[in-house]
Amino acid sequence: MQSGSTGFEQQTLRQVVHTSIGGDQVRVRLSNQFGAAPLAVTGIGLAQPTGGAGIDVSTARAVTFSGNNSVTVPAGEEAVSDALSLTVAADTDLTISMYLPAATGAPTEHVLANRANYAATGSQIADAGLRDSKSTSAYYFLSGLDVHNTAASGAVVAFGASVTDGLGSKSGTNQRWPDLLSDRLRASGRTIGVLNTGMSSNRLLSDGPGGESAIRRFDRDVLDRPGVRWVIISDEPANDLGNDSSTRADALTGGLAELVERGHDAGIKVICSTLTQASGASYWSTAAETGRAAYNAFVRGGTSGCDAVLDLDAATQDPSSPTRLKPSFDSGDHLHPNTAGMKAIADAVDLSWFD
């Protein structure tokens, strides 16, 4: 989650989430992390989507918080719903509806939903469709869906920036590389939740347009997530280098080493990623490329402390020009892999890391 700008008042939100594993109970997480005032939410519901802003009302279930159908989330905090007994399938979409009765102020949001969500005036929680709805490409106040499954081995967090967030993959198709990794895990017979906490424009060391730095948000977006046993630390340092090519490689490797130590202290296996290519991208430079090479060498070396290495660089590079994305993987901006590139990243994950 990150800080937004335009808020809501007396509006219904319908937002679609995609499961990795299935289970027999779910919980909804609401966040007012960056709000300046308490957030009032009423009439929270969960249902199967029918396309667009529509839901199958026969599947609609009320979501409660401490037994109530409304909740007020204090500024700077998160609220977790009661567990709802519900058989939910793996690899499926669910629609979460909520009514915001009072002015929210600047929202807590996730800018890139990589799918269409919807907002409409008035309370339309129980309606099959939304009258006069407008689509949005973000998530608002919704920070997660917990799925309970006694057979699950745990969860892996994909922790990164825009490549992890799915920018460049086809919208609405759930083909970000963490989605495709989830597909592979499920096909292999493993029951492991995949939590995507990628955030476009995020940086490792400093706050910026992509929200709080990876260093600052690591506890909230990795360590505090339920069931986490693994984390894949991915692509944030590319934004440190691209936005400030004077960023020292040793500062980036020091930041990574800190995250590795914090993960290990929490009993989590830490998988580190090399950085994909960016030559030809609008914000890239020779100095940034030098920094990328140094960072990748550290990740591949024996002193990083990482438990395993996901070599994104090797998986996506152009063999004839190793500092560039393979043309068939390039979404067009020479920075973000397309859907085929996302598949190459997911396929580079060694599933034995999760045994």
Side-chain angles (χ1 to χ4, degrees):
M1 308 304 291
Q2 55 205 125
S3 179
S5 55
T6 304
F8 300 88
E9 183 176 6
Q10 296 183 353
Q11 289 173 275
T12 296
L13 295 181
R14 272 200 180 149
Q15 305 179 90
V16 182
V17 297
H18 190 75
T19 63
S20 53
I21 62 171
D24 58 6
Q25 295 180 0
V26 296
R27 297 186 304 197
V28 173
R29 292 179 173 268
L30 301 178
S31 177
N32 193 25
Q33 180 73 38
F34 300 101
L39 170 70
V41 186
T42 62
I44 306 100
L46 189 150
Q48 293 180 0
T50 57
I55 60 170
D56 180 351
V57 294
S58 69
T59 67
R61 299 287 301 277
V63 176
T64 61
F65 291 76
S66 298
N68 301 308
N69 63 359
S70 64
V71 63
T72 298
V73 189
E77 295 188 19
E78 183 179 69
V80 182
S81 77
D82 303 325
L84 173 63
S85 293
L86 179 71
T87 299
V88 59
D91 190 31
T92 194
D93 288 344
L94 293 172
T95 296
I96 297 171
S97 302
M98 65 184 78
Y99 178 58
L100 307 172
T104 64
T108 295
E109 65 181 37
H110 182 85
V111 171
L112 181 66
N114 209 36
R115 69 174 314 126
N117 290 317
Y118 301 90
T121 302
S123 179
Q124 302 185 45
I125 296 295
D127 296 350
L130 291 183
R131 300 179 303 278
D132 301 319
S133 66
K134 294 183 179 179
S135 65
T136 173
S137 58
Y139 285 110
Y140 298 99
F141 308 113
L142 179 61
S143 61
L145 180 77
D146 296 341
V147 176
H148 175 262
N149 187 324
T150 56
S153 302
V156 52
V157 178
F159 182 70
S162 54
V163 173
T164 303
D165 208 4
L167 185 61
S169 66
K170 187 176 180 181
S171 179
T173 62
N174 301 307
Q175 295 187 83
R176 312 164 189 86
W177 71 257
D179 296 315
L180 299 174
L181 171 59
S182 178
D183 293 343
R184 288 190 64 213
L185 288 166
R186 187 169 52 256
S188 74
R190 296 170 173 87
T191 305
I192 295 175
V194 178
L195 313 182
N196 188 341
T197 61
M199 194 154 61
S200 293
S201 299
N202 197 231
R203 303 177 190 178
L204 176 64
L205 302 177
S206 61
D207 298 349
E212 291 180 333
S213 70
I215 295 289
R216 290 186 62 192
R217 70 185 183 95
F218 189 72
D219 282 13
R220 182 179 72 244
D221 289 344
V222 179
L223 303 186
D224 294 342
R225 298 281 174 156
V228 172
R229 291 184 58 198
W230 307 270
V231 61
I232 301 175
I233 299 175
S234 188
D235 52 312
E236 288 100 345
N239 289 318
D240 295 75
L241 291 167
N243 287 285
D244 182 3
S245 60
S246 66
T247 302
R248 291 173 56 92
D250 59 357
L252 295 176
T253 57
L256 176 64
E258 176 186 331
L259 295 186
V260 171
E261 181 177 8
R262 287 162 63 184
H264 286 164
D265 287 345
I268 293 173
K269 184 173 182 176
V270 181
I271 300 159
C272 304
S273 302
T274 56
L275 301 180
T276 55
Q277 308 74 31
S279 292
S282 59
Y283 75 170
W284 209 242
S285 65
T286 301
E289 181 58 37
T290 299
R292 184 182 81 95
Y295 181 86
N296 286 354
F298 174 78
V299 170
R300 292 181 179 121
T303 61
S304 67
C306 304
D307 296 298
V309 175
L310 173 56
D311 201 339
L312 303 190
D313 177 44
T316 59
Q317 69 179 224
D318 181 354
S320 64
S321 182
T323 64
R324 291 180 176 269
L325 279 171
K326 188 176 181 180
S328 60
F329 293 164
D330 193 339
S331 66
D333 63 4
H334 311 304
L335 178 63
H336 298 101
N338 58 19
T339 299
M342 294 288 175
K343 184 177 185 302
I345 291 173
D347 287 349
V349 176
D350 185 343
L351 299 188
S352 69
W353 295 336
F354 307 105
D355 292 339

